[in-house]
Amino acid sequence: MDLPTPADLRERRNELELTQSELADRADVSQPLIARIEGGDVDPRLSTLRRIVSALAEAETGIVRAEDLMHSDVINVAPDDELSDAVRKMEEEAYSQLPVLQDGIPVGSISQGDLVHAEEGDRGEPVREFMSESFPTVSEDTTLDEVTSLLEHYKAVMVTDSGETVGILTEADIAGRLS
């Protein structure tokens, strides 16, 4: 197996029109490390070299990940919020569903369909009484193909990092990417 030389890495990065900082972000390493590797000043560990080569390959193939499309401002309600809060947020944002988060962790969802079962007098009841199951969760590096597959069965996909919500994706986000 031939490993790329520092010159190979620099040449490939330049061909892809990536800066050292952009490559470092994609490979989850520091920019000075990229500079030192390309300059031949340091011999990287195999695991680091793999991450750099993978980042270059992804840049070449144009793989789109959840973090590229997600909305990081997640409009949500908590299980203890009143149902009227969920209704108001859905109307204000023109959303048909909202994630239910407790301390940043997805615990359910509430949709217009769930609200059909609520009567006018229920508006002060907690969301937890009417919420449905949580949307599925994926990591930020999940591919567009994997997210699209989930959206065939669910109204939204939550993007999490160490269990904590960092974004949300819906079919509208995917459609916006394709148009």
Side-chain angles (χ1 to χ4, degrees):
M1 161 166 87
D2 290 334
L3 296 176
T5 66
D8 293 336
L9 293 174
R10 182 178 42 255
E11 182 180 336
R12 191 155 176 214
R13 179 183 58 77
N14 287 329
E15 286 172 0
L16 294 169
E17 298 179 357
L18 290 174
T19 65
Q20 288 180 343
S21 293
E22 290 169 335
L23 178 56
D25 286 343
R26 289 172 180 252
D28 198 26
V29 298
S30 69
Q31 180 275 325
L33 179 61
I34 296 290
R36 291 181 66 205
I37 291 169
E38 287 184 356
D41 298 337
V42 68
D43 199 9
R45 286 193 276 177
L46 184 57
S47 60
T48 301
L49 186 59
R50 260 195 209 118
R51 288 201 319 262
I52 293 168
V53 170
S54 292
L56 288 167
E58 287 179 10
E60 191 170 55
T61 60
I63 292 176
V64 178
R65 305 239 177 243
E67 67 185 336
D68 300 325
L69 300 174
M70 71 181 191
H71 289 280
S72 53
D73 181 24
V74 180
I75 308 300
N76 67 85
V77 291
D80 293 331
D81 288 352
E82 291 183 1
L83 200 57
S84 60
D85 293 335
V87 171
R88 180 183 48 77
K89 285 184 180 182
M90 280 190 226
E91 288 174 354
E92 286 175 359
E93 301 294 332
Y95 290 164
S96 60
Q97 72 269 334
L98 293 174
V100 180
L101 305 181
Q102 186 160 8
D103 300 322
I105 300 170
V107 294
S109 65
I110 186 97
S111 69
Q112 289 177 339
D114 297 323
L115 297 175
V116 168
H117 303 294
E119 299 188 21
E120 200 64 38
D122 292 334
R123 296 296 167 117
E125 293 292 316
V127 167
R128 85 162 53 78
E129 299 295 324
F130 297 92
M131 70 184 192
S132 297
E133 70 178 335
S134 182
F135 301 125
T137 61
V138 299
S139 66
E140 294 172 293
D141 64 347
T142 301
T143 65
L144 175 60
D145 288 343
E146 293 168 312
V147 170
T148 302
S149 179
L150 286 169
L151 287 172
E152 290 176 9
H153 306 285
Y154 299 95
K155 296 176 183 178
V157 173
M158 303 303 298
V159 183
T160 60
D161 182 14
S162 301
E164 189 127 352
T165 301
V166 295
I168 188 168
L169 284 160
T170 65
E171 286 182 343
D173 300 316
I174 306 302
R177 170 71 179 188
L178 300 176
S179 59

